Every structure is written in structure tokens, then in C-alpha cells.
Amino acid sequence: MPLGLDRAPVATILADFHALGINSIRLPFSNEMVHDRRPVPDAAVAANPQLRGKTPLQVLDAVIAATTAEGFAVVLNNHTNTSRWCCGLDGNERWNTSQTTAQREDDWLFMARRYRDDERVVGADLYNEVRRTITDDANWGRGDSHDWWTATQRLGDRILTEANPDLLVIVEGINRQGVPTDITPHWRPTLGPTRTLSHTLVASDKLVHSAHFYGYTGPNHTGATGTGETHDRRYQELSRDELFATLRRQALFVTDDTRRHYTAPVWIGEFGIGADETNPQTRAWFGNFVDHLIANDTDFAYWPLVGFTGHGRWKLLDYDTEGRRSGVLDGDDWRAADWRRLVTAPGLTGPVPAAEHWDMLNLDHADAVQSLRARAAGDWDHGARKGVCPDGQRLVGLAHRDGRGLCTDAGAARLADPAGGATVVTDDRYVKEGDWAGGCTKLQCPRDRFMTGYSVRGQAVSAVLCAAASRALPVTGRTVWFDRGDDRPAGEPGGEFAQGHYKGQCATGEYAAGIAFTGAWAKGKTPDALLCRTP
């Protein structure tokens, strides 16, 4: 449950949040708390007697209601499985270390539905700082029970389709992998893996990525001191230029790199430093980090906002047992100057211009049907792995093997007829304007339709899915071959969506109207060519 309720009234804490100059709160919860039906101890809410006798979840309800009524946005953060603090080997390393994946998903759907009617509950931060257990790492894309990419892709879609379509789905990277000793590999992946495997949600504009940075950790350093410490450099030991380059390499490239399948907003979900910090190097790190946030207009949440005297000096606001406040708003806290320039720096305001979308489809282990319309229509190729672009996008790229695809709305927005249905093509009956891939089987969309999806069985092409266009489409086009090498537009818009495989891609202003393949010896009916047309 939120800290400080034993020291100061909720209204006082929220007034102090206003004085801090913030507009949003990242509010942690544990899965154990969701199911705890015991009343909280009276001492835990001593300064808020109206909360006596309530369960932890009911206390959270009251805090959220008061917070959003004051105009703050709230991001729900599934911080731990159990109601204990993180972040070591504590049973909370992964989202499913101390519980099943199914229970975790059920808990998130429950929480998203519980606050659905409060429009200022804006985000779901799916889990905090995924890291290694004693014996195993979380991974990004292997398709097993420790696959953080699969877990967040599935849960994000479920939240948006079953609980609250308006929530921002916030996905942190993997915080640590490997065994942290000086003789074994270990690293901090953060958001790096998204370069080659990113999320495509059913509402692709709801994805936000998050990263956490503290001076005492590093690109490979866990932050340990003494026992368990390695000789890796910490962030605070990097020069200013090295720090900025590292922040971009590990996280901020996601928002800096435009026209990529991984392009998305990045939110710094945690950063902070102690008021009692005296190390000049560490203080310089904090100032440099604040400079970077300001220069890039990067949104952030500080960790933690509230604590109480005797539990360290990292929080921005302290309340003693009498409710007296101290921190960056009072006295000689050295962080105050950096904090004030951070929250008063001019930033972008007003409506955000619509951006083009680039999204990848990953059929490595399962379907990637990211169209709500296609989901509603049911299984259009039973037993095959299927990929369908989000509604409003079209297929423009395909890999020669393993079934990955690339979708976009760039260059041909509003191409689809919202009232039009879909056509499943499994043979060459619609090839009527000439042989565009001699010697190959060609699955081509009917006239005035374009590809939004495809299916495979193993490596072999099974079918294509074609959507109705909002206008008449041409009957001429060009063939893009990728059976012996890449054929992609200059600059490879969309980015690397099928690392290690040949890829074919239509130009940005084109759409894919068909796939060609051959069952000749050693070919295996894998995609060899695309028919690309300009609308």
C-alpha cells in the first residue's frame, strides 16, 4: 500500500505533489495485495483514520480516487508478486516466479477493469525490473515460460481487448541477464532487444516502453557493493558524453529512431539519488541525467516520491512521526536545484501530430493476428500460424523463412474500406493480369483488395488475407524477389524485422497484392516474391 499514510493525510501529500510540479504518479501494487482480505493495521493509516478497517486494495482505491480527483494521472505498476520489497533474489525476479502466469494475467485484468471508469488511470506498467533468478534468465522471444516478450505481448493484448482499450501498455526491458561475476558474462539488456523483435499490440499506438536508470548501476553493473560486486563501470563513472551515448544505445533509440517497427515513446519509469549523497561523481551523474531528460523532453517518474524518516534519504518528500515534512521543498536538500529546473523546463505541449506506424509480425512460435476485425471474424486458416496487420495498416514486407512480416500505414493512409470484408486466398484463381512470378505458385488478392495478412505451415506459405480497399486499385505492379537476397527500399524503412533471413519489401507508397512461392526441390514453399502495387 502507498507509503506515508501513517504520517500525513492524503490531502496533504497530494498538495505537496502539486508543489513538486509533477502531473502523474507511478503507483505500485503487488499481486499478493490484490488478494489480501485482511484489514490494514490501524498504525499503517494513523494519519488517515477514514481508511481504518479497509483492506489494502480498498486503501489503494481511496488513494487512487483522491489522486485522480486532484488532476494527477496514475500509472498502475505491478511491482512485485509478493508484498515484500524488491529487487534481489527475493521471489519477485520474474512476473511468474512466485505465481503462475495465468494468475498474473487474471490479476491485471481485474485491476484494469477495476479502475476503467476513472479516465485519469492512464497506464499499466506490466512488471518491475525483470531479472535473473539464481538459476535462470528471463529471455526475449524464445517462446517459453520465461519469455518476457511473449508474456507482455499476450498480456498487453488481453488488457486492451478484455479490460480497458484506453490504457497505455507500458513494457520495461529486461533489467539483468547472466551471472554477475568478473569471470562470467552478464549484462543489462534494457530495451536493446526491441531492435530486432518489437511488440505489435492490437492498438499499436498504446505501446510505451520504460527504462530505469540509477548512477550506482551500469550497462553491465548490477549495483552491488562489496559481496557480489564486479569491476564493471557504473553509470556515474561514465563521462557526460559516454552517459548520453549509453542512454541512447540502451533505451532512448526507441523513440529517437523514427520509421522503425520498434519506434515508440520511452518513459523513464525510475531514476533517483539520495539527499545524503556526498560523492561529487554521483552528484554530477544526477545533474547530467537531468540535463538529458530536459534536452530530449523525456517523460519520467522519480523513485520514490514519498518515504519517511529512518528509511533512507532517496525520497523527495519525508514525513516524520508528527507529520512534519522535509525534502526538496524544504531546507538545504542539494537535489532541489536540479529538480526545480527539471520540472520547470519548457516542454512540448498541445496536440501531438499523427505519426506513421511501422509494426512487425512475429510468427516464430504462435499467431500474430493483431487486427481486431480479423480476430472477430474467427480462424481463417485452421492449423496454420497466422499474421495479420493491425487495423488501418497493410502488409509491405515479408521474410523468406520463419514467417515474420512488416506492416505500415505510411504512404497510403486510409487505404482500407472499414465496411469491407476480408478474402482468404489459397490458390491462383485471382491471377488474371499476367504471370508476375514465372514458375511459381501465386496467391494474389482479388481486384481492389490488398494484403493485410498471411499464414504459414512450418515454413510453407498456406494462404493470404486480403482486405477491401476504399477506392479502385491498379492492376499493374512489379515483382520483388527475395529468395536469394534482400530486396528492400533504400534506407530499409521499418528496420530489421527478420534478422538473419532474406527479406522482400514494397516501397513505402506501395502495397503487397500477392505472394509467390515454389514447391520445387529444396524450396519448401517458402515465400520467394511479393507483388507490389501503387494505390
Side-chain angles (χ1 to χ4, degrees):
M1 53 181 279
L3 288 176
L5 299 178
D6 59 333
R7 305 296 178 96
V10 170
T12 298
I13 295 173
L14 293 175
D16 290 343
F17 286 175
H18 281 302
L20 285 175
I22 60 176
N23 60 14
S24 58
I25 311 294
R26 178 175 178 256
L27 199 55
F29 71 90
S30 71
N31 298 90
E32 181 180 349
M33 184 209 78
V34 173
H35 300 278
D36 192 346
R37 299 295 181 261
R38 298 169 298 175
V40 300
D42 287 351
V45 291
N48 293 271
Q50 75 279 12
L51 300 179
R52 290 176 182 168
K54 295 185 180 295
T55 66
L57 187 58
Q58 290 170 336
V59 171
L60 188 69
D61 291 342
V63 168
I64 288 176
T67 301
T68 58
E70 280 293 313
F72 295 102
V74 169
V75 172
L76 300 172
N77 164 233
N78 185 191
H79 208 72
T80 54
N81 297 180
T82 62
S83 294
R84 59 180 296 185
W85 219 237
C86 76
C87 293
L89 298 172
D90 56 6
N92 294 303
E93 299 89 346
R94 287 193 314 274
W95 61 99
N96 57 2
T97 305
S98 300
Q99 63 184 350
T100 65
T101 296
Q103 182 61 64
R104 174 201 178 235
E105 290 186 1
D106 287 345
D107 287 351
W108 253 122
L109 295 178
F110 170 80
M111 294 294 281
R113 290 168 181 150
R114 188 174 186 88
Y115 304 110
R116 177 171 47 198
D117 294 333
D118 190 333
E119 294 182 348
R120 290 191 180 274
V121 177
V122 298
D125 186 348
L126 298 186
Y127 201 67
N128 181 71
E129 296 186 2
V130 171
R131 56 200 180 275
R132 181 182 175 86
T133 64
I134 293 176
T135 59
D136 194 29
D137 285 319
N139 66 80
W140 192 273
R142 293 182 187 171
D144 59 18
S145 63
H146 296 175
D147 181 353
W148 179 229
W149 181 89
T150 293
T152 47
Q153 175 69 41
R154 173 182 164 85
L155 178 56
D157 279 344
R158 290 198 69 191
I159 288 172
L160 293 173
T161 57
E162 300 177 38
N164 186 347
D166 296 322
L167 279 180
L168 297 174
V169 174
I170 301 172
V171 180
E172 299 179 23
I174 295 175
N175 202 48
R176 294 197 295 273
Q177 286 180 324
V179 179
T181 73
D182 284 335
I183 60 173
T184 53
H186 57 279
W187 57 97
R188 190 166 186 253
T190 321
L191 299 178
T194 65
R195 285 186 174 92
T196 54
L197 178 57
S198 62
H199 294 76
T200 298
L201 300 177
V202 292
S204 62
D205 58 349
K206 294 299 183 183
L207 175 67
V208 175
H209 278 299
S210 178
H212 298 177
F213 290 100
Y214 293 98
Y216 67 91
T217 63
N220 298 88
H221 204 299
T222 65
T225 300
T227 303
E229 183 175 3
T230 63
H231 288 83
D232 303 297
R233 297 174 75 191
R234 302 174 189 263
Y235 291 116
Q236 64 198 31
E237 295 170 347
L238 304 178
S239 71
R240 179 182 173 92
D241 289 344
E242 288 175 323
L243 174 64
F244 289 4
T246 302
L247 295 177
R248 187 188 189 285
R249 175 176 56 83
Q250 289 198 297
L252 294 174
F253 73 92
V254 173
T255 193
D256 289 345
D257 295 351
T258 58
R259 307 187 75 208
R260 294 292 184 264
H261 63 79
Y262 55 78
T263 302
V266 172
W267 179 55
I268 302 302
E270 287 187 22
F271 80 106
I273 196 169
D276 52 356
E277 181 60 66
T278 59
N279 185 338
Q281 185 181 60
T282 311
R283 287 190 174 195
W285 169 85
F286 187 71
N288 288 334
F289 193 83
V290 166
D291 287 344
H292 198 276
L293 294 178
I294 293 171
N296 292 274
D297 195 27
T298 303
D299 292 335
F300 61 88
Y302 184 92
W303 181 267
L305 289 177
V306 176
F308 47 88
T309 303
H311 283 249
R313 297 290 309 280
W314 280 65
K315 55 274 183 184
L316 292 180
L317 299 173
D318 265 337
Y319 300 95
D320 67 14
T321 55
E322 302 300 320
R324 292 184 294 259
R325 187 191 72 196
S326 61
V328 296
L329 298 177
D330 309 280
D332 58 356
D333 192 316
W334 70 268
R335 302 169 299 174
D338 284 325
W339 178 259
R340 183 51 50 191
R341 65 190 182 86
L342 175 60
V343 296
T344 59
L348 298 176
T349 60
V352 178
E356 62 188 40
H357 296 87
W358 292 87
D359 288 300
M360 67 176 291
L361 298 176
N362 173 26
L363 276 63
D364 289 3
H365 306 291
D367 289 352
V369 179
Q370 299 312 110
S371 160
L372 292 173
R373 287 199 290 268
R375 289 187 177 203
D379 189 346
W380 50 273
D381 192 3
H382 183 70
R385 302 196 315 280
K386 295 167 284 292
V388 185
C389 297
D391 293 330
Q393 297 188 42
R394 66 192 187 280
L395 189 75
V396 293
L398 203 59
H400 182 54
R401 295 183 63 83
D402 284 355
R404 290 196 183 183
L406 183 67
C407 306
T408 190
D409 57 6
R414 295 179 294 280
L415 183 61
D417 178 0
T423 302
V424 179
V425 179
T426 58
D427 55 36
D428 61 0
R429 71 183 66 186
Y430 298 111
V431 181
K432 301 180 183 300
E433 296 89 18
D435 189 347
W436 51 271
C440 293
T441 299
K442 292 165 282 292
L443 306 186
Q444 180 178 328
C445 293
R447 182 169 291 192
D448 297 333
R449 291 179 178 262
F450 61 96
M451 281 183 59
T452 58
Y454 58 97
S455 58
V456 296
R457 297 176 185 271
Q459 299 287 349
V461 175
S462 178
V464 300
L465 187 69
C466 305
S470 59
R471 53 190 180 273
L473 297 178
V475 296
T476 58
R478 66 186 184 97
T479 303
V480 172
W481 291 96
F482 53 99
D483 57 326
R484 299 182 182 180
D486 284 358
D487 190 348
R488 303 186 66 190
E492 299 185 347
E496 176 57 79
F497 65 93
Q499 190 173 41
H501 297 296
Y502 299 145
K503 292 167 286 293
Q505 183 175 336
C506 300
T508 299
E510 295 178 326
Y511 65 91
I515 298 176
F517 59 90
T518 177
W521 181 81
K523 296 293 287 186
K525 299 183 179 180
T526 58
D528 290 333
L530 288 173
L531 175 62
C532 298
R533 289 173 169 171
T534 303

